[in-house]
Amino acid sequence: MTQADDRILETLADSDLTLSPRVLAANTDYSRHYISARLGELRDADLVDRVDEGLYVISDRGLAYLEGELSADELEKDE
């Protein structure tokens, strides 16, 4: 997990909206390309769900991570 991953998850959780990499980039100070790459990793870890082409929401697992119910170490073990 990176600092960007935390920012992406927090932005998705705080907005409670379906967001694109472009919107996430505008709200996190990371590039759209970098956000897209990180979203792929977050999706592989089941922390975000892709609801349509280029549109993402935070998953229940992502919320559990943000709430401290799931640690980064546990995520790495699942890989």
Side-chain angles (χ1 to χ4, degrees), residues 8-66:
I8 292 166
L9 293 174
E10 289 165 357
T11 302
L12 287 168
D14 291 346
S15 71
D16 198 30
L17 297 171
T18 302
L19 301 177
S20 68
R22 182 177 179 183
V23 171
L24 285 162
N27 288 285
T28 59
D29 297 324
Y30 293 99
S31 72
R32 184 195 57 77
H33 177 61
Y34 184 70
I35 293 286
S36 293
R38 295 313 308 160
L39 282 167
E41 295 293 322
L42 293 171
R43 187 172 171 217
D44 289 346
D46 295 323
L47 297 172
V48 299
D49 294 320
R50 189 174 81 176
V51 295
D52 201 356
E53 185 73 28
L55 296 173
Y56 297 85
V57 296
I58 191 166
S59 68
D60 290 340
R61 184 174 162 96
L63 289 171
Y65 169 77
L66 287 180

